[in-house]
Amino acid sequence: MIPRIPYDTWMAGRLGLEKLTRADLEAHQLERLNRTLVRAKTLSPFYSRHLANITRFPLQSLEEVADLPFTTPQDVREQGLSMLCVGQGEISRVVTLSTSGTTGEPKQLQFTGDDQDLTLGIFQSSMEQVARPGEPCFVLLPCATPGGVGDLLCTAIRKLGAHPTAHGAIANLKETALCMAEEDSCTLVGIPAQVLALARYCKARGMDVHVRSALLCTDYVSRAVASTLYDIWNCPVFEYYGMTEACYAGGMECAAHDGCHMHETDLLVEIVDPESGRVLPDGEEGEVVITSLLRRGMPLIRYRTGDISRILPEPCPCGSVLIRLEKIRRRKHCLLFLGERELSLSMADLDEALIPLPWLGKFGAELVQDGQGATLELSLGYFRNRDLSAMQEEVHAALCSISEIYKALEEGLLREKMTFEAMGDTISPSAAKRTIRVVTR
């Protein structure tokens, strides 16, 4: 029997209930939505203008949220300070964000102490599924900044009675592996590409590391990564989908590993048509839109995330009443162009195709456009001594398993170029999302 995700019990407790039901949850969402709207319209210069034409308060149903205007990343970049509902003196954490898919000026997100306390509770509930009291847990994320994601995770892990190691993002695979090998058993929280490199490094070097459970976050978690970690470490791998804009709230997989259960006491989640903005029914794919229901500093109302997904319509085998968001594979603006031809390709597509190659430790991708056309340039790191021509053939076959690439290669619209390097002990400690870089020469 699949255990229910801890979120239901945690959310029921926060609402003063013995058991969480959809009816109670949606009543809470509507009440908090109306409070957020009144507060934002009253205290935020941006929202007083943005919501000026919305005069029907309070809303009578959650469906009426569709009548509200969207908030966009451009609004946050250009109007961030005027979105605040508190004075600067109440802000305890400012995050400057320039993520994949973001162009122009970076976004500045601002959070109060109460906002961070709420995130701490979410992290603690999330880690109940991963860490056990008395168990070592390695936080392989940036941990140096007070109030940052790594620091909050360490605090949450301590509250569970487990023992966090604020390791930081991985820079030296050997040092990280040796540190973890000192424990009889441990759990970890980390960045998918880095943890994959660590696992394959340990296997290639014959280093015995016992990982009981792993939580991956900050970037797309491919099924190939989860499968590889399970094969090497025999451990379950959970995905956490968090958004910096929402002070790291989002959702997490349960033991069924079929979509992320969302933090619905804190977030109202919609799926809309990326072009028309029309709200789509459960099961249909579109753009993820969130409304923060409990954030005091900088609430987001109908914020367009740019992520493409769908709400899974079937009940979860774990029995949770919370909605599940399907694994996010791409963003709204991930289309590449080969002349006038659209190429729908994301790092997630490349991950699923390339990561099953057992010798692969890392890879990067660029789409280089010049007077001769377009070339997909891959830089690949490997751990095992392999024949170069064999690796090239394996990579080519993997790329051709992606229909968009296969068609473009067949039509002569795309070329491929590969460079290989033997991997040593060090990797980039960057926590940024990986993207396909587009270069014009």
Side-chain angles (χ1 to χ4, degrees):
M1 182 177 178
I2 296 173
R4 180 172 298 190
I5 193 167
Y7 286 168
D8 286 58
T9 301
W10 174 66
M11 292 181 190
R14 290 183 61 208
L15 299 182
L17 304 170
E18 290 187 8
K19 183 179 180 181
L20 189 68
T21 67
R22 282 305 307 176
D24 288 326
L25 181 58
E26 290 173 5
H28 160 81
Q29 288 181 314
L30 182 60
E31 188 267 336
R32 292 304 312 192
L33 173 61
N34 279 314
R35 288 176 62 176
T36 296
L37 291 173
V38 171
R39 188 167 179 274
K41 192 171 182 179
T42 303
L43 299 177
S44 160
F46 169 80
Y47 283 118
S48 67
R49 299 187 302 270
H50 196 59
L51 301 174
N53 294 328
I54 306 299
T55 57
R56 188 175 56 190
F57 287 122
L59 303 185
Q60 299 302 305
S61 70
L62 291 176
E63 287 72 26
E64 292 178 30
V65 75
D67 297 329
L68 303 178
F70 292 112
T71 306
T72 67
Q74 183 176 350
D75 292 329
V76 176
R77 286 194 294 272
E78 297 178 355
Q79 306 287 333
L81 284 177
S82 67
M83 296 176 77
L84 291 178
C85 291
V86 298
Q88 285 290 153
E90 292 190 55
I91 297 298
S92 62
R93 174 90 170 114
V94 178
V95 179
T96 301
L97 187 66
S98 181
T99 60
S100 61
T102 298
T103 57
E105 294 298 315
K107 292 176 283 188
Q108 278 204 334
L109 295 314
Q110 308 202 37
F111 309 114
T112 67
D114 288 340
D115 294 335
Q116 290 186 290
D117 286 344
L118 179 58
T119 298
L120 186 61
I122 290 172
F123 282 179
Q124 184 175 343
S125 180
S126 301
M127 291 305 297
E128 280 187 44
Q129 193 167 231
V130 180
R132 294 173 179 170
E135 186 176 47
C137 181
F138 287 83
V139 179
L140 308 178
L141 301 171
C143 296
T145 303
V149 60
D151 180 59
L152 289 174
L153 265 170
C154 287
T155 302
I157 292 165
R158 287 190 201 96
K159 285 179 173 289
L160 288 174
H163 304 304
T165 295
H167 181 282
I170 301 173
N172 188 296
L173 296 166
K174 182 178 181 180
E175 290 177 2
T176 301
L178 288 173
C179 186
M180 293 175 63
E182 292 178 0
E183 306 292 347
D184 293 333
S185 176
C186 65
T187 58
L188 66 81
V189 183
I191 299 164
Q194 294 190 357
V195 176
L196 173 72
L198 177 66
R200 283 190 163 153
Y201 178 90
C202 291
K203 183 175 182 179
R205 301 292 191 271
M207 301 182 73
D208 202 8
V209 172
H210 299 281
V211 179
R212 187 188 59 77
S213 184
L215 174 65
L216 302 183
C217 56
T218 78
D219 203 353
Y220 173 73
V221 181
S222 71
R223 290 179 174 84
V225 165
S227 175
T228 298
L229 298 186
Y230 183 83
D231 289 343
I232 294 175
W233 286 332
N234 193 31
C235 71
V237 177
F238 297 94
E239 177 179 0
Y240 184 91
Y241 169 64
M243 292 163 279
T244 308
E245 293 91 334
C247 200
Y248 312 117
M252 182 178 174
E253 284 184 322
C254 67
H257 302 289
D258 186 18
C260 287
H261 291 280
M262 300 302 289
H263 304 144
E264 289 192 84
T265 49
D266 184 44
L267 295 176
L268 180 64
V269 181
E270 304 170 82
I271 303 295
V272 305
D273 184 287
E275 302 304 324
S276 70
R278 178 177 62 88
V279 177
L280 299 175
D282 292 356
E284 289 194 24
E285 186 180 81
E287 182 178 2
V288 180
V289 172
I290 63 165
T291 297
S292 50
L293 302 175
L294 298 174
R295 302 294 164 172
R296 294 190 65 252
M298 191 176 178
L300 296 176
I301 297 171
R302 301 204 80 202
Y303 179 75
R304 303 189 71 150
T305 67
D307 291 333
I308 301 297
S309 184
R310 67 186 181 115
I311 293 173
L312 296 171
E314 305 85 6
C316 181
C318 84
S320 173
V321 301
L322 300 172
I323 64 169
R324 289 174 298 144
L325 204 62
E326 189 174 53
K327 184 182 291 290
I328 291 171
R329 293 178 55 90
R330 64 187 179 93
R331 289 181 54 79
K332 179 181 175 182
H333 301 295
C334 75
L335 284 177
L336 306 174
F337 290 89
L338 307 178
E340 296 183 357
R341 159 82 177 274
E342 291 183 352
L343 177 69
S344 179
L345 181 68
S346 68
M347 284 297 285
D349 297 319
L350 294 177
D351 275 357
E352 297 292 6
L354 295 174
I355 286 174
L357 300 175
W359 46 263
L360 185 69
K362 65 177 182 179
F363 77 91
E366 289 186 347
L367 184 69
V368 179
Q369 297 173 323
D370 55 28
Q372 304 301 313
T375 304
L376 182 62
E377 297 190 0
L378 298 177
S379 56
L380 306 108
Y382 60 92
F383 282 122
R384 299 178 181 177
N385 290 325
R386 299 276 294 176
D387 177 73
L388 179 60
S389 61
M391 289 193 294
Q392 289 173 328
E393 289 177 5
E394 290 173 1
V395 172
H396 174 73
L399 291 176
C400 287
S401 71
I402 303 172
S403 61
E404 288 280 300
I405 291 181
Y406 177 77
K407 291 176 187 176
L409 290 171
E410 285 291 296
E411 295 171 16
L413 297 173
L414 183 67
R415 301 182 300 271
E416 59 185 21
K417 180 181 177 182
M418 309 167 202
T419 58
F420 296 86
E421 65 169 329
M423 292 187 64
D425 294 343
T426 60
I427 60 172
S428 168
S430 172
K433 284 186 170 76
R434 297 169 308 129
T435 62
I436 301 173
R437 249 182 103 234
V438 178
V439 179
T440 302
R441 292 175 183 167

